[in-house]
Amino acid sequence: MSNLIINNATIVTPVGNSPRRGNEMSRLAIIPHATVIVRDGIIEFVGPTKDAPSHSQDESKVIDAEGRVILPGFIDSHTHLIFGGYRPDEFSWRMSGESYMNIMQRGGGIQSTVNATRHESCDNLIAKARWFIDRMSEMGVTTVEAKSGYGLDTESELKMLEAIHRLATDPDRKLDVVSTFLGAHAVPKEYKDNTEGYVNLMINEMIPAAKGKAEFFDIFTEKNVFEINDSRRLLNAARDAGFKLKLHADEIVTLGGAELASEMGAVSADHLLHVSDEGIRMMADRNVVATLLPLTAFSLKEPYAPARKFIDAGAAVALATDLNPGSCFSGSIPLTIALACIYMGMSVEETITALTLNAAAAVDRADTIGSIEPGKRADLIILHFDNFRMLPYYVGMNCVKTTIFNGRIVYDS
């Protein structure tokens, strides 16, 4: 692997190997007139150019950043990247005011995507995901979490996990892919009015079959989907099988998902539009990352998650897109940044931390990615601009000029 030297940069980065909590989220290291030296995909030096060690440029790719800002690569820590079909008609119905139940009766909802995914080949799922990955790379994403959850039977869930595995192990990949098993995304039509039967299937068959094929186990803890007792059973079974835990929590009603995530020692709880004050306190106390998904609230015209309450309580907040074919068909990092700053009351500094180091913590990788520091993987983005505050100011538009993954340029405008 050739080496990489970036000169004449303004480095902007959080610092550390653990998530930044509370007011720590606003503290960024800013180094003007700086150099980054990368060797074999790992950052070797970060600091003022005058302090950079002498180095041979003969076998190195040298970039003059021309004073532009360099950030850590963005990490999209909650997506539903793998799915069959699309649902544009359903989106139009929703915009016309139709209820979720009416949409379900017309053949929409999660079951629509389940039907399409079950009939899709693994190769086709991978091909579609690669198109989205190309778009992510253009927006500076260097790590993405990808969930199963549109199979809802053992064979189809394993097919989705196989697609994720092949993307994650592709030697020419443009970003890192983190695998999450979300068999508990919904109760499939075969188990209508028999949630306990599906929970038992998951515990006795699906979780053992997925063991070793995904790093995380996620569950949609929600009223009339998987409520607290069933969620606890499934989370315990998944933890016993060796999975790290995540939860879709308190998205639609205040159910106690944040409290359950804290009780179970989950790595993150996500959505949290209707989280309780006690849930916020417990997540802050138990170091559960709050992954907030403003694009989904925007798409559904729902209130945004209370980012300021989490930060003021001393919690670690991450941001992610929730790319999925139903409630949020968008993977836009620029729009995520704009919504976080304009509508959720987050500063641009907090937003950068939430999309880098804290998002790395949400996928349990804060020790290797998420900041620009010696010893970490060289996942970097170079902006078109010399001021990081352009990110929300250039509303909803892409500020990324160059994306570097593992020391290799994977996108350059």
Coordinates of all heavy atoms in Angstrom, one line a residue, residues 84 86-87 90 107-117:
G84 N -35.0 -5.3 -0.9 CA -35.6 -5.5 -2.2 C -36.7 -4.5 -2.5 O -37.4 -4.1 -1.6
Y86 N -38.8 -1.0 -4.1 CA -38.9 0.4 -3.6 C -40.4 0.6 -3.3 O -41.2 -0.2 -3.6 CB -38.4 1.4 -4.7 CG -37.0 1.3 -5.0 CD1 -36.5 0.6 -6.2 CD2 -36.0 1.9 -4.2 CE1 -35.2 0.6 -6.5 CE2 -34.7 1.9 -4.5 CZ -34.3 1.2 -5.7 OH -32.9 1.1 -6.0
R87 N -40.6 1.8 -2.6 CA -42.0 2.0 -2.2 C -42.4 3.5 -2.5 O -42.9 4.2 -1.7 CB -42.2 1.7 -0.7 CG -42.2 0.2 -0.4 CD -41.7 -0.2 1.0 NE -42.4 0.4 2.1 CZ -42.0 0.2 3.3 NH1 -41.0 -0.5 3.6 NH2 -42.7 0.8 4.3
E90 N -46.2 4.3 -2.0 CA -46.6 4.4 -0.6 C -46.2 5.8 -0.1 O -47.0 6.4 0.7 CB -45.8 3.4 0.2 CG -46.0 3.4 1.7 CD -45.3 2.4 2.5 OE1 -45.1 1.3 1.9 OE2 -44.8 2.7 3.6
G107 N -51.3 -2.8 0.7 CA -50.1 -3.6 0.4 C -48.8 -2.9 0.7 O -47.7 -3.4 0.2
G108 N -48.8 -1.8 1.4 CA -47.6 -1.1 1.7 C -47.0 -1.5 3.1 O -47.4 -2.6 3.6
G109 N -46.1 -0.7 3.6 CA -45.5 -1.0 4.9 C -44.3 -2.0 4.8 O -43.9 -2.4 3.7
I110 N -43.8 -2.4 5.9 CA -42.6 -3.3 6.0 C -42.8 -4.5 5.2 O -42.0 -5.1 4.5 CB -42.2 -3.5 7.4 CG1 -41.5 -2.3 8.0 CG2 -41.2 -4.7 7.5 CD1 -41.2 -2.4 9.5
Q111 N -44.1 -5.1 5.3 CA -44.3 -6.4 4.7 C -44.1 -6.3 3.1 O -43.7 -7.3 2.5 CB -45.7 -6.9 5.0 CG -46.0 -8.3 4.5 CD -45.2 -9.3 5.2 OE1 -45.0 -9.4 6.4 NE2 -44.6 -10.2 4.4
S112 N -44.4 -5.1 2.6 CA -44.1 -5.0 1.1 C -42.7 -5.2 0.8 O -42.3 -5.9 -0.2 CB -44.6 -3.6 0.7 OG -44.2 -3.3 -0.6
T113 N -41.8 -4.6 1.6 CA -40.4 -4.8 1.4 C -39.9 -6.2 1.7 O -39.0 -6.8 1.1 CB -39.6 -3.8 2.2 OG1 -39.9 -2.4 1.8 CG2 -38.1 -3.9 2.0
V114 N -40.5 -6.8 2.7 CA -40.2 -8.2 3.1 C -40.6 -9.1 1.8 O -39.7 -10.0 1.5 CB -41.0 -8.7 4.3 CG1 -40.9 -10.2 4.5 CG2 -40.5 -7.9 5.5
N115 N -41.7 -8.9 1.2 CA -42.1 -9.7 0.1 C -41.0 -9.6 -1.0 O -40.6 -10.6 -1.6 CB -43.5 -9.3 -0.4 CG -44.6 -9.6 0.6 OD1 -44.4 -10.4 1.5 ND2 -45.7 -8.9 0.4
A116 N -40.6 -8.4 -1.3 CA -39.7 -8.1 -2.4 C -38.3 -8.7 -2.0 O -37.6 -9.3 -2.9 CB -39.6 -6.6 -2.7
T117 N -37.9 -8.5 -0.8 CA -36.6 -9.0 -0.4 C -36.5 -10.5 -0.4 O -35.4 -11.1 -0.8 CB -36.2 -8.5 1.0 OG1 -36.3 -7.0 1.0 CG2 -34.8 -8.9 1.4

